[in-house]
Amino acid sequence: MKKHRIAIFASGNGSNFEAIATAASSGLIPDCEAALCVCDRPGAYVVERAHRLGVPVLEFNPREFASKRDFERMIADELDRLGVELVCLAGYMRIVGEELLGRYHGRIVNIHPALLPAFPGANAIGDAFDYGVKVYGVTVHYIDSTVDGGTIIAQAAVPYEGRDLDELTALIHNTEHVLYPATIARLLSE
Ligand code: GRF
């Protein structure tokens, strides 16, 4: 049986990349291959993780392209060449533009460390912590052209009433590492 091919986009640490790639190779996401790691920050730690896990890497420096459309065209061409079915954004710190959105419409998902629509943006965990919520969480959603907008696919709650930001951050990331692979498995089986 032909495997589902997915690409994972990340800009930094890559713990979600690793959780997804490992879930694919272990069969936790059935019949799935992590076909490509796309990284817009050459030298980011996610690249080291990808090499260790044997996942091909497409590293690029956006500044070496004339426009977003140009580098997204390069990425989309590579996704097409590999036959990628689903794009999973995992800490990709960039708004996806029209080129990728147009060519992979309805096939790009993202993970966000809060219960959207609450706390969008790059500092979601800190913002929720400062607000003093009692139930945090994680959201997997389709993307659109807005920041952390798009239809919600899955959410998991993380109840926490402590005041230790590091402890909370670890709890949220652990939840991401379970929810994201499980959601990808569900999407690929539909
Ligand atoms: C995660 O918290 C994810 O929800 C957010 O960016 C973070 C990436 O972490 N979009 P990592 O690079 O996967 O460790």
Side-chain angles (χ1 to χ4, degrees):
M1 185 183 159
K2 204 163 157 266
K3 289 195 170 186
H4 299 288
R5 306 192 111 200
I6 63 172
I8 302 140
F9 288 32
S11 302
N13 178 34
S15 69
N16 280 283
F17 161 81
E18 179 151 354
I20 296 166
T22 307
S25 63
S26 71
L28 200 64
I29 306 175
D31 307 314
C32 176
E33 180 189 348
L36 190 66
C37 168
V38 175
C39 180
D40 63 338
R41 287 197 193 148
Y45 186 53
V46 68
V47 173
E48 207 175 307
R49 293 186 196 253
H51 290 323
R52 176 161 45 79
L53 296 171
V55 177
V57 176
L58 176 62
E59 264 180 296
F60 68 98
N61 183 347
R63 279 188 227 142
E64 289 170 6
F65 292 79
S67 66
K68 179 179 280 206
R69 182 173 292 279
D70 281 3
F71 69 71
E72 289 200 339
R73 185 171 296 137
M74 177 274 295
I75 297 171
D77 287 347
E78 185 63 5
L79 299 177
D80 287 353
R81 195 183 69 78
L82 292 169
V84 166
E85 221 173 288
L86 185 71
V87 170
C88 306
L89 308 182
Y92 182 64
M93 302 306 287
R94 200 167 280 282
I95 304 267
V96 172
E98 282 172 22
E99 180 74 19
L100 262 173
L101 266 177
R103 285 170 63 173
Y104 275 76
H105 181 74
R107 293 190 287 155
I108 310 179
V109 297
N110 181 46
I111 183 139
H112 183 74
L115 291 173
L116 291 172
F119 307 111
N123 187 36
I125 300 176
D127 291 346
F129 184 77
D130 291 345
Y131 199 93
V133 305
K134 305 295 180 226
V135 179
Y136 298 80
V138 171
T139 302
V140 179
H141 62 100
Y142 288 107
I143 64 152
D144 61 19
S145 52
T146 62
V147 178
D148 300 319
T151 306
I152 291 173
I153 305 164
Q155 290 185 308
V158 178
Y160 182 74
E161 298 201 17
R163 291 309 295 162
D164 181 336
L165 184 57
D166 291 338
E167 184 178 47
L168 169 65
T169 301
L171 284 174
I172 289 178
H173 288 319
N174 289 342
T175 304
E176 291 184 320
H177 300 161
V178 176
L179 184 72
Y180 209 2
T183 306
I184 293 166
R186 201 184 94 201
L187 291 172
L188 293 176
S189 74
E190 279 171 358

